[in-house]
Amino acid sequence: MHPRIEDYALIGDLQTAALVGRDGSIDWLCLPRFDSGACFAALLGGKDNGHWGLAPCSPDARAQRSYRGDSLILDTVWETPTGSVRVTDFMPQRDRAPDVVRIVEGLSGSVEMRGVLRLRFDYGRVVPWVRATEGCRVAIAGPDSVWLRTPAESTTYGKDFSTRSDFTVAAGQRTAFVLTWHPSHEPRPIQIEPFTALQDTLDDWHGWSARCRYKGPYREAVMRSLITLKALTYAPTGGIVAAPTTSLPEELGGVRNWDYRYCWLRDASLTLNSLLSAGYLEEAGAWRNWLLRAVAGAPDDLQIMYGLAGERRLPEAELPWLTGYCDSAPVRIGNAAVEQRQLDVYGEVLDSFHIARSAGLPAEQHAWSIQRALVDYLESTWRDPDEGLWEIRGPRRHFVHSKVMAWVAADRAVRAIEAYPKFGGKVDRWRAMRDEVRREVCERGYDADRGTFTQFYGSRELDAATLLIPRVGFLPGDDPRVLGTIDTVRRELTHDGLVRRYSTEGIAVDGLPGGEGTFLVCSFWLADALQLSGRRAEAQEMFERLLGLRNDVGLLSEEYDPAARRQLGNFPQAFSHIGLVGTAFGLQDGAPAH
C-alpha cells in the first residue's frame, strides 16, 4: 500500500527536491535536476523501484514531524518503548554536487535504528553496481554515481540488492548519513560537513523568510506556501516548476496522470503577484527574466510551458515498468500538452510584465519589443478556437477564459503605452481589439437565462476559470454577471463546497475517461471572487476551510477528494500554494487582484 499523498513532506536544494514519508522513507528524488531521472521512484511503484528508509527498528515507533522554523529542514521525532530519537532531513543549497543529509539525534533512552538504501536509477529501472571504498559505499550505473557516507558506529552491509545500516543511538548522541550524486565520469565531489551544513542551511532559510512582508493573521500558512514556491524554483535560471513530481493521479486508479516538473506560463502572472506582494523582488525579477528568455522568438511559436532553462522539446513517454501510485497507470514523463494551442498564454505573459512594471521592476525596451510582437500576433488570432487553460485533449473550442485573457493582453498593452508613451505601438488598434473581445465574450460566452458565464461559446457547461473575470479586471466584482457566475458555480460545480475545474461528465469536453477531484486553486479563486464581490465573511470562511486541507506540515497537492478526504494530484503543487498566498493577501488588503 502506498502512503497517502499528504503523508509526504518536501525537502530540496533549489535545483531538485525529495519527498519524505511519515515512515521515514524518501520515496521520490530526481538527480541532479527536478526533471532528471528518479533514483528513488517507490512513490510510483514499490520499494524495489528505489527508496531510502531511516527509522527505528521497533514496530511500535510513533512519529511526529515539523519543519524547523521558517525553513525546509524537516524534523521527525520518533517515540519508541525504549526511548526517543529525532531524524533531521534536509538538502543544503549546493555548491556543485547535490547532497541529501539525514542526521539522527538521541533524545532519551536508547533506540535501535535501521537504514535501508535502494538506489534505482532511470526511474526505478536500473540497479547500480555498489562497492565499498574510502569509507563509503559508491553506486554506479552509466552516467550516474552516488556516494553514501555512513557513520563509523553503524554496521553497514549489503542485503537483497540494498545497503543496510544498523546502529543504536543513546540520549545526547548525534550521527549523520550523507548521500551525494555526481556524474560517474568525474572525480569524487568534495565532502560536506553535515552539522555545519545544517546550521548554514537553517541560516539561509531564516534569512530568506525574514524578508517576507506579510503581517496578517495567516502568516504561518503564507510563509510555508512561499517557502514551498521558493523550493520549487530552479535557482540557476529562476524558472519555477509546477510540482516536483510526475503522474500522481487526479483520480485513484485513473489515467489522468501528468508530468508537472516543468514551468507553465499560465502560472506566471499569479506567481509574480505572490512573490511581489510578499516583497520578494529578487525572485520575481529572476522569474520575469526566465519568462523573457523562454518566450523570445516568433510570436506564433509561443508555448504553454517550457523546461527549467527554457527548453522547448518535452516529449511525452510512458514508463511501463512502474505500476503507478495506487495502481494509477500509466506513469508518464514529458508532457504532450507542450504542443497545444492555448491563446490565454498571451494574456498571461502580457499580464506578468504589467505586474512587474507596476511593482517597480525596470521597464525595458527590448522586453517591450517582444510583448508588442505578441499582442500584434494575437490581434489576428484571438478569434480562433484553442485547447484552453486546462489542456483538454478533446476538440478545440472557443473557451471563454481564453477570450478573457486575450482581452487582458490588449488591456495590458494599452496600459503600458499610456504609462510609457516612448515604447510605441498600435495603441488605437489594441483599444479596438479590447472593446471587441469584451463585446463578443459578453454576447457569446454568457448564458442570460441562467445568469452565468459558460465554459465555451454556445455551451451550458461551467468552468471555474470564469471566476477569474473580476480578478483580471474584465468586469468589476459587483457586476450582476459576475455575481450570477459565482452563485451558479457554487450551485453546480462544487462538491462538498469545494470547486471542480469543470464537469467531466456528459459531453466529456476534455476527451479523457474517468473523473477527478476538486481543484484546490479553483476553490481559492472562489474565495477571491467572493471577496471582490463584497462577501468578505464568506470568502474568509472558504479560505479557512481550505487551510484545513493542508497536511501536517502545511503542504497542498493539486486536488482534493472530499469523499475519500485525501489529497490527489502532483505534490506539492505550486498553483495551490500560489492561490493560498493570493487569497491571504486579498483578505488583508481588500483585493487579491492586479
Side-chain angles (χ1 to χ4, degrees):
M1 292 292 294
H2 282 91
R4 287 180 169 233
I5 290 171
E6 57 264 38
D7 286 338
Y8 288 100
L10 180 77
I11 60 173
D13 65 357
L14 309 187
Q15 296 191 44
T16 190
L19 295 187
V20 187
R22 290 180 188 270
D23 60 356
S25 180
I26 300 178
D27 287 349
W28 182 254
L29 174 62
C30 300
L31 290 172
R33 303 191 342 169
F34 289 107
D35 57 352
S36 299
C39 62
F40 300 145
L43 180 71
L44 299 177
K47 296 299 186 184
D48 285 342
N49 295 119
H51 77 112
W52 185 11
L54 183 60
C57 296
S58 171
D60 298 319
R62 297 292 180 266
Q64 281 193 318
R65 61 189 184 168
S66 62
Y67 285 111
R68 189 173 298 188
D70 291 335
S71 80
L72 206 65
I73 297 171
L74 180 69
D75 286 324
T76 303
V77 175
W78 293 90
E79 299 286 347
T80 78
T82 62
S84 59
V85 65
R86 177 168 55 222
V87 177
T88 299
D89 294 318
F90 68 100
M91 296 183 70
Q93 294 184 27
R94 71 179 78 166
D95 178 20
R96 184 176 181 186
D99 298 287
V100 180
V101 181
R102 314 195 76 177
I103 294 175
V104 185
E105 181 179 2
L107 301 179
S108 67
S110 180
V111 180
E112 293 183 4
M113 301 286 294
R114 170 166 290 171
V116 179
L117 174 67
R118 285 188 178 88
L119 283 161
R120 300 292 187 268
F121 298 118
D122 191 23
Y123 299 100
R125 189 180 192 184
V126 177
V127 180
W129 184 265
V130 181
R131 59 187 171 87
T133 181
E134 302 179 44
C136 298
R137 293 294 194 279
V138 58
I140 297 176
D144 297 296
S145 177
V146 166
W147 292 72
L148 175 66
R149 188 169 14 136
T150 60
E153 57 269 26
S154 72
T155 301
T156 300
Y157 56 97
K159 183 178 180 181
D160 298 331
F161 297 99
S162 69
T163 299
R164 303 197 176 194
S165 298
D166 296 334
F167 59 103
T168 300
V169 179
Q173 292 182 332
R174 192 168 66 157
T175 192
F177 294 78
V178 181
L179 183 147
T180 305
W181 178 95
H182 73 109
S184 59
H185 64 277
E186 293 184 359
R188 178 182 178 179
I190 297 173
Q191 295 183 353
I192 64 168
E193 203 293 310
F195 303 109
T196 300
L198 173 61
Q199 188 60 53
D200 290 345
T201 303
L202 186 63
D203 291 344
D204 286 343
W205 278 109
H206 281 174
W208 185 84
S209 300
R211 292 162 47 200
C212 178
R213 67 187 184 197
Y214 176 81
K215 306 300 181 185
Y218 304 108
R219 189 183 186 284
E220 178 273 329
V222 169
M223 196 70 253
R224 180 51 50 196
S225 290
L226 289 168
I227 289 171
T228 303
L229 292 175
K230 178 70 170 175
L232 299 182
T233 300
Y234 185 64
T237 66
I240 300 175
V241 297
T245 57
T246 178
S247 299
L248 288 179
E250 298 173 9
E251 178 185 43
L252 294 180
V255 301
R256 297 167 182 261
N257 317 318
W258 315 111
D259 194 347
Y260 277 15
R261 298 171 301 155
Y262 307 111
C263 307
W264 266 258
L265 297 189
R266 72 184 182 205
D267 300 2
S269 61
L270 297 176
T271 303
L272 271 172
N273 206 26
S274 296
L275 293 171
L276 290 168
S277 297
Y280 289 104
L281 293 178
E282 180 180 343
E283 286 75 13
W287 176 224
R288 184 202 58 178
N289 291 339
W290 174 90
L291 181 64
L292 189 62
R293 294 191 300 271
V295 304
D300 61 351
D301 198 30
L302 187 69
Q303 297 185 175
I304 66 167
M305 71 179 85
Y306 296 85
L308 304 176
E311 298 92 343
R312 290 174 172 261
R313 290 196 306 109
L314 310 174
E316 186 174 301
E318 297 181 3
L319 307 183
W321 61 88
L322 291 174
T323 57
Y325 178 85
C326 291
D327 295 322
S328 304
V331 171
R332 295 181 174 96
I333 59 171
N335 201 312
V338 72
E339 304 293 340
Q340 288 189 354
R341 176 183 180 82
Q342 294 183 18
L343 294 174
D344 61 289
V345 297
Y346 292 88
E348 284 146 6
V349 169
L350 268 292
D351 197 34
S352 296
F353 287 108
H354 168 74
I355 291 168
R357 288 190 299 268
S358 300
L361 292 180
E364 299 170 337
Q365 183 65 48
H366 78 281
W368 173 247
S369 297
I370 293 175
Q371 296 168 69
R372 183 173 57 195
L374 292 176
V375 74
D376 282 343
Y377 173 75
L378 186 61
E379 183 186 11
S380 63
T381 58
W382 70 265
R383 299 174 185 83
D384 297 339
D386 69 344
E387 277 90 0
L389 169 71
W390 302 124
E391 297 165 10
I392 63 160
R393 300 201 175 195
R396 289 179 176 177
R397 302 180 187 272
H398 291 282
F399 286 99
V400 169
H401 174 263
S402 296
K403 308 302 185 185
V404 168
M405 294 308 295
W407 176 92
V408 169
D411 177 74
R412 302 320 188 244
V414 169
R415 291 163 70 175
I417 293 296
E418 291 172 347
Y420 301 94
K422 64 179 182 180
F423 276 179
K426 304 170 185 176
V427 66
D428 291 336
R429 292 176 58 172
W430 297 339
R431 286 193 181 101
M433 171 186 165
R434 181 176 62 178
D435 293 342
E436 184 180 357
V437 174
R438 173 180 278 167
R439 204 164 38 244
E440 180 176 293
V441 168
C442 292
E443 290 175 359
R444 301 183 62 191
Y446 181 72
D447 184 340
D449 293 336
R450 295 160 66 212
T452 183
F453 285 99
T454 60
Q455 186 175 38
F456 54 89
Y457 291 172
S459 168
R460 290 184 58 83
E461 302 294 325
L462 299 178
D463 191 327
T466 57
L467 294 171
L468 291 170
I469 283 174
R471 180 169 184 149
V472 299
F474 184 82
L475 290 173
D478 59 357
D479 187 284
R481 292 163 292 187
V482 170
L483 299 177
T485 299
I486 294 172
D487 290 339
T488 308
V489 166
R490 293 183 83 177
R491 186 171 58 250
E492 300 182 21
L493 205 58
T494 59
H495 183 182
D496 193 24
L498 301 175
V499 183
R500 295 174 293 154
R501 293 188 295 175
Y502 50 84
S503 174
T504 57
E505 304 163 358
I507 63 173
V509 168
D510 59 18
L512 295 167
E516 61 182 23
T518 58
F519 213 74
L520 291 173
V521 76
C522 297
S523 299
F524 285 112
W525 292 346
L526 175 57
D528 295 341
L530 289 167
Q531 163 69 20
L532 290 167
S533 68
R535 297 150 76 174
R536 177 183 170 81
E538 294 176 67
Q540 187 166 348
E541 180 182 1
M542 182 75 180
F543 180 66
E544 292 179 356
R545 163 89 186 280
L546 290 164
L547 292 185
L549 303 182
R550 298 176 300 150
N551 74 355
D552 60 317
V553 290
L555 301 181
L556 289 168
S557 65
E558 181 181 34
E559 301 185 12
Y560 185 78
D561 183 343
R565 298 189 179 278
R566 60 184 297 176
Q567 296 192 24
L568 295 172
N570 284 304
F571 174 89
Q573 177 77 9
F575 224 8
S576 299
H577 287 282
I578 291 165
L580 187 156
V581 173
T583 303
F585 271 99
L587 290 170
Q588 173 181 270
D589 301 335
H594 305 263

